[in-house]
Amino acid sequence: MASDLTDLEPRRAPGASESSSGAGGGASQLSAGRTVGSGAERRWSVDTHNRDHGRSSRHTSSQLSRSRSHHAVSKAQDQAVPFPMLRAEDEAPTSWLIPRVRSALYDSENLLSAAHLGRRNKGKGIRAWYTSYTTIDWLHDDIREQARLRTLRAIGGTKGWWLNHVWDPVQGWLLVVLVGLLCGLFAGFISEWTELLAGWKTGYCRADWRLSQTICCRMSAVECEYWHAWEPRSLSGRAIFVVVGGVYTLIAAILVVKSATRVTMANRGVSSSVETSVSPTVKMAYYGAGSGIPEVKSILAGFVIHGFLGVRILVVKTFGLILCCASGIMAGKEGPMVQIASSLGNISTRIFDKYYKNEAKKREIISAAAAAGVSVAFGAPIGGVLFSLEEVSYFFPNKTMLRSLTCALVAALVLKAYDPFGTGKLVLFQTTYDMDYHWFEMLAFVIIGVFGGLYGALFCRLNMAVNRLRKCTWIGRYPIAEVVAITTLTLAISYQNPFTRIGLGELVGSLFQECPTIVSDRPYPTSSDEESEIEKLLCVTSSKLSDYMPLLSLLALALLNRAFFAIVTFGIKVPSGLVLPSMSIGAVFGRIVGTYMEYLTRAHSGLAVFSQCPANSRCVIPGIYALVGAGATLTGATHTTIAVVAILMELTGNLIYTLPVLVGVMTARWVAEYFSPSGIYDMLLEHAGHPYFDTKTQYIHTRRTAAELMQTDLETICVDYENENTVELLSARLARISERGLADGGFPVVNSRGHLLGWIACAELEFAIARCHALDPATACFLNNPLWQMDYVAHNPAAIPHYRLPTEFTRAKNNPGNHTDPVASSTQHSPSRF
């Protein structure tokens, strides 16, 4: 492909028009005297003048015609705009996977030259490339979209009807369907290969080594006759288990480290995955590591991270996630699936310029893709949409919600048809129950909720402390060694306990399940001896406490094991999510509470509180407690509520347990917010230094006046002192503001009296100065007010308070036949081209 798919941002300037946005300048040229924002914003652009070169100031006829094509609205259409023109071309470096090539110009010349564009496209501005770690201009992108629609509406006839009523509206739906299809295929591929590689740690299928343990056991007439398991209690079996898992994470860590990006940063954090310092201002960013949800949240809020949602990281994340989930460490796939789906959405927008060239529109598709990622991770389309709305997306209108639901639905249907587990289930821990709950169980659900909130707050604080330690000490300089050490320690300690030896998905699925009353209740033959052992441990039919103690002790040890390794694992340089590890910890605690409640109902069935229980039958289902615990701990760590309830309801396929889940989830949310006001994703955003304005947070200002809130040390540009606005001095100002970490801001433009005249973004000023690299650093730069343009003759500048029209321009305006540059007329030199 001609463009680089490894970047989130397109090769064209997000602020430049793709159709009728008429970026004030030319389709192939940028007028130095044009505006950079909308006319109402009165933004500024740069006009340079080299006083050392005396050149002819007369424009050629072709230059005049190009100028008139972009500023024709009134009688001034026949007058040349007396400012030099700039050529805006993209010069991007070469990427690792797909070579970057020079793209076309920022604006489409054949669309901008139409005579009917007129005044309504004035002041849209030409937008330099959004650089990495800056924010997009939402207003500018909205103006561009409105201008594009106006041009589209101006097309008449059958073609106009087709474009306006069929092709343009259907593009968004085609994209979300395509993204959903890709998400389903990727999720099926990841789940299938994760099961296969995880099985190799414990054995292989003699009938076909390419079959996973679950599918191989289903082929057997008796229990897993085709599955050859390594001897679990032998030294060789333990060694194979640890070594194979260590090799998996080693390969994943190498992929992540080798795909790292060098990032130039200011004196503040850059990314939650930036750890290793190359120099005081250059860091290594590991975009393939971690969950990816905090960065996706920041991107959807308008932040720019080049390459984070590109092809290279998509490949690394996909294969790294398979290896990490198969290794057996505390790493879930649900969070990384959101980043994978968002990458697919970002890459797919290159099909249609409507989304490819507009960063605000592109984020609508990424929001829908994030919902599809959660949908295929849990098999819950509605829960995926709610998760995208509640946790990930920043701007979520009704149109985006409907497209998100469509994308999530298509993804779930494709995953259902793929059937990666060979069981007809979308996820391993999908389950159903056949018994209602009792009111005396509500107290137990509250206790589980309190535990979920306490653990979530503790996890957030301890994990952030570990991440800071990892970033500030020598540990961060050896990411691969850290991954191998944690993997070896995790697998060696976890091997003894059957509840920690199996993967997270199998563990949660076993804890959710209801114990069968008879052997025929099993849907298919037991997958392995391990699952038979776990089923025997979980399903206790005695009323003696001594018969429950082996199960309770193993679950308690599993709880401590999982809780500790979840804290130290989340943040290492491999793809790893937080959702499934948190759910597994809550499921273990919930199963402990549910098992003890089962013992109480059997041992003390005569108590009045248990009068609702049927005689000689089960009274409680411990799996429900595990379900409530999974939701409570996930809420405690992420502070997500409604989406968690919806996901759990879709997993069980039954609304009977809505109230127990809500009790546990809301209790966990209240407790977690008391001890930790922010969830783990918001903490990671703050730790990374990414700009994110949380709409749910109430910001209280204790200062009383606006003057107390204003900055007094701002860098400004004064239009009346040309000696202060040379290329060299303006470059120095840009360097100073970048060192302060404010490169996504801009400069107020003032006059000698300190009156504000406008504002120019750093990216736009940098883009203009970059075209002056061949000029003398002492070249003076002049800033031009959009009201000075000759096509605004109907406007009376004198009506503007504190407005002063330059005398040079007044002379040029009063003498329309003279096309000499106004500045040049006073200095006898023509302005230099960029």
Side-chain angles (χ1 to χ4, degrees):
M1 302 179 75
S3 60
D4 177 18
L5 301 184
T6 63
D7 283 343
L8 169 66
E9 307 306 323
R11 308 255 25 96
R12 302 202 175 193
S17 285
E18 58 196 79
S19 57
S20 69
S21 58
S28 62
Q29 294 178 327
L30 166 64
S31 172
R34 46 171 295 289
T35 66
V36 182
S38 66
E41 292 176 288
R42 296 181 58 197
R43 296 196 177 182
W44 300 70
S45 63
V46 175
D47 181 23
T48 63
H49 173 61
N50 190 339
R51 299 180 182 274
D52 300 329
H53 299 277
R55 298 181 182 177
S56 173
S57 61
R58 194 173 303 278
H59 291 277
T60 64
S61 59
S62 61
Q63 291 171 330
L64 294 178
S65 62
R66 285 196 297 268
S67 299
R68 287 194 298 268
S69 65
H70 309 302
H71 297 281
V73 282
S74 65
K75 219 171 183 182
Q77 290 176 332
D78 301 327
Q79 301 170 353
V81 179
F83 292 100
M85 313 299 278
L86 301 179
R87 190 163 184 84
E89 293 182 349
D90 182 24
E91 299 176 0
T94 304
S95 72
W96 173 67
L97 184 62
I98 297 179
R100 294 182 182 178
V101 297
R102 177 174 298 190
S103 68
L105 304 180
Y106 285 104
D107 296 306
S108 179
E109 186 170 359
N110 60 338
L111 291 176
L112 289 178
S113 60
H116 65 268
L117 296 185
R119 184 196 300 268
R120 62 189 179 189
N121 294 315
K122 293 296 175 185
K124 300 301 182 297
I126 192 166
R127 178 72 60 184
W129 262 92
Y130 287 125
T131 58
S132 197
Y133 299 103
T134 58
T135 53
I136 69 172
D137 191 333
W138 293 92
L139 179 60
H140 191 279
D141 288 343
D142 181 66
I143 292 172
R144 293 188 64 242
E145 174 63 13
Q146 295 301 320
R148 185 192 70 84
L149 292 176
R150 285 195 298 267
T151 301
L152 204 63
R153 299 296 185 268
I155 302 175
T158 305
K159 179 181 179 181
W161 179 88
W162 167 261
L163 291 176
N164 284 281
H165 297 90
V166 179
W167 181 238
D168 189 64
V170 83
Q171 288 180 8
W173 296 103
L174 290 177
L175 269 183
V176 296
V177 170
L178 175 61
V179 173
L181 176 65
L182 293 175
C183 288
L185 294 176
F186 268 72
F189 175 80
I190 291 172
S191 299
E192 182 180 15
W193 278 90
T194 299
E195 285 298 298
L196 176 60
L197 297 182
W200 289 352
K201 294 188 304 176
T202 58
Y204 69 96
C205 185
R206 290 176 294 188
D208 189 350
W209 63 272
R210 296 170 298 177
L211 297 179
S212 65
Q213 183 178 0
T214 304
I215 298 177
C216 184
C217 290
R218 291 198 60 185
M219 296 172 54
S220 308
V222 295
E223 294 186 357
C224 287
E225 62 175 334
Y226 297 129
W227 182 258
H228 176 73
W230 317 125
E231 181 60 36
R233 289 177 172 78
S234 66
L235 182 60
S236 60
R238 180 194 296 267
I240 293 175
F241 183 84
V242 176
V243 170
V244 173
V247 170
Y248 289 164
T249 54
L250 174 62
I251 298 174
I254 292 175
L255 287 174
V256 171
V257 172
K258 292 299 181 182
S259 64
T261 304
R262 299 171 71 93
V263 176
T264 302
M265 57 177 290
N267 296 322
R268 61 175 182 172
V270 170
S271 174
S272 59
S273 54
V274 173
E275 301 291 344
T276 305
S277 296
V278 178
S279 72
T281 58
V282 178
K283 304 289 183 179
M284 297 303 295
Y286 302 97
Y287 294 154
S291 169
I293 291 181
E295 287 81 2
V296 172
K297 286 184 62 173
S298 185
I299 288 172
L300 290 177
F303 198 50
V304 178
I305 307 178
H306 285 310
F308 187 80
L309 299 180
V311 171
R312 176 178 58 175
I313 301 303
L314 173 63
V315 174
V316 170
K317 200 83 171 185
T318 300
F319 289 99
L321 182 60
I322 293 174
L323 294 168
C324 287
C325 292
S327 67
I329 63 174
M330 288 293 288
K333 67 178 181 180
E334 287 70 23
M337 277 303 304
V338 173
Q339 182 180 350
I340 291 174
S342 300
S343 298
L344 294 172
N346 171 63
I347 295 168
S348 299
T349 57
R350 287 161 170 79
I351 299 175
F352 300 114
D353 287 347
K354 172 183 176 180
Y355 297 95
Y356 172 50
K357 298 179 181 179
N358 192 307
E359 292 303 307
K361 296 289 291 181
K362 178 185 292 185
R363 278 156 175 77
E364 296 179 6
I365 303 300
I366 296 178
S367 294
V374 179
S375 173
V376 294
F378 291 102
I382 298 177
V385 175
L386 292 177
F387 188 86
S388 179
L389 169 63
E390 184 177 3
E391 186 62 40
V392 180
S393 297
Y394 187 80
F395 180 65
F396 207 78
N398 290 335
K399 179 176 63 176
T400 303
M401 181 178 65
L402 292 177
R403 289 178 177 172
S404 299
L405 182 59
T406 302
C407 191
L409 175 62
V410 173
L413 290 175
V414 173
L415 183 61
K416 179 75 172 180
Y418 196 109
D419 194 14
F421 306 109
T423 61
K425 296 182 178 181
L426 295 179
V427 290
L428 282 177
F429 42 88
Q430 190 174 8
T431 184
T432 57
Y433 303 113
D434 59 359
M435 183 183 297
D436 201 351
Y437 61 90
H438 305 284
W439 282 106
F440 66 83
E441 298 179 76
M442 286 297 176
L443 179 61
F445 298 145
V446 171
I447 294 174
I448 294 174
V450 171
F451 169 81
L454 291 175
Y455 170 77
L458 182 65
F459 171 83
C460 292
R461 293 181 179 274
L462 293 181
N463 182 256
M464 293 307 302
V466 171
N467 285 332
R468 285 190 291 267
L469 179 68
R470 187 177 282 131
K471 187 174 183 178
C472 301
T473 62
W474 58 269
I475 299 176
R477 296 194 294 270
Y478 305 98
I480 298 179
E482 181 191 12
V483 169
V484 174
I486 290 179
T487 302
T488 304
L489 187 63
T490 301
L491 299 181
I493 296 177
S494 302
Y495 189 78
Q496 293 294 335
N497 193 330
F499 290 107
T500 55
R501 188 187 310 153
I502 61 177
L504 294 177
E506 292 86 350
L507 173 63
V508 174
S510 300
L511 296 176
F512 280 3
Q513 293 299 324
E514 180 181 359
C515 292
T517 55
I518 56 177
V519 178
S520 60
D521 286 348
R522 297 173 184 169
Y524 50 86
T526 306
S527 297
S528 65
D529 294 336
E530 284 186 0
E531 293 194 7
S532 298
E533 180 184 2
I534 290 175
E535 183 179 296
K536 292 177 183 178
L537 287 171
L538 289 175
C539 300
V540 181
T541 58
S542 173
S543 59
K544 298 180 180 179
L545 181 61
S546 58
D547 295 331
Y548 285 91
M549 287 308 298
L551 171 61
L552 294 176
S553 59
L554 287 175
L555 289 175
L557 292 175
L559 177 65
L560 296 176
N561 179 296
R562 294 300 190 188
F564 172 76
F565 284 111
I567 293 173
V568 299
T569 303
F570 189 64
I572 61 175
K573 298 304 174 286
V574 292
S576 59
L578 169 69
V579 175
L580 195 55
S582 298
M583 291 181 64
S584 66
I585 294 169
V588 171
F589 181 81
R591 191 78 187 202
I592 293 175
V593 176
T595 301
Y596 189 73
M597 287 292 296
E598 184 181 33
Y599 158 73
L600 290 179
T601 57
R602 288 179 174 175
H604 306 281
S605 57
L607 295 178
V609 69
F610 301 138
S611 60
Q612 302 177 18
C613 297
N616 301 324
S617 180
R618 294 178 303 167
C619 185
V620 298
I621 300 178
I624 298 178
Y625 294 79
L627 183 74
V628 175
T633 50
L634 180 58
T635 297
T638 64
H639 289 198
T640 307
T641 53
I642 302 175
V644 172
V645 175
I647 289 171
L648 295 179
M649 291 303 97
E650 289 186 88
L651 285 177
T652 59
N654 200 325
L655 296 178
I656 297 177
Y657 311 103
T658 304
L659 286 181
V661 173
L662 274 173
V663 169
V665 165
M666 292 307 301
T667 304
R669 175 65 182 267
W670 293 328
V671 173
E673 282 192 339
Y674 180 80
F675 292 100
S676 178
S678 300
I680 185 63
Y681 298 137
D682 295 330
M683 286 186 173
L684 288 174
L685 279 173
E686 183 179 357
H687 175 70
H690 293 165
Y692 183 79
F693 186 79
D694 190 3
T695 57
K696 300 185 292 292
T697 302
Q698 182 180 7
Y699 297 91
I700 301 176
H701 297 285
T702 56
R703 299 171 181 174
R704 294 175 295 177
T705 63
E708 293 176 326
L709 294 173
M710 292 180 180
Q711 283 184 265
T712 58
D713 57 344
L714 289 178
E715 292 271 0
T716 62
I717 296 177
C718 182
V719 297
D720 295 335
Y721 302 121
E722 60 186 52
N723 293 332
E724 295 182 1
N725 298 330
T726 63
V727 173
E728 182 180 12
L729 294 178
L730 289 178
S731 300
R733 291 180 184 178
L734 280 172
R736 286 196 298 269
I737 200 171
S738 297
E739 289 175 358
R740 297 173 58 187
L742 303 174
D744 55 346
F747 296 92
V749 181
V750 299
N751 59 18
S752 57
R753 292 176 292 177
H755 295 151
L756 179 66
L757 302 179
W759 184 82
I760 182 170
C762 290
E764 295 156 352
L765 182 60
E766 182 180 10
F767 171 77
I769 292 178
R771 301 301 173 183
C772 303
H773 64 276
L775 300 180
D776 187 345
T779 300
C781 301
F782 296 88
L783 289 95
N784 161 49
N785 192 306
L787 295 179
W788 299 355
Q789 295 293 340
M790 302 187 70
D791 52 1
Y792 283 92
V793 293
H795 199 310
N796 181 15
I800 303 177
H802 311 299
Y803 182 84
R804 182 161 56 93
L805 191 66
T807 56
E808 295 86 0
F809 189 85
T810 305
R811 290 197 298 269
K813 181 177 177 181
N814 295 333
N815 187 12
N818 182 11
H819 298 313
T820 304
D821 183 79
V823 180
S825 64
S826 62
T827 62
Q828 303 303 318
H829 293 290
S830 63
S832 301
R833 299 181 184 275
F834 275 23

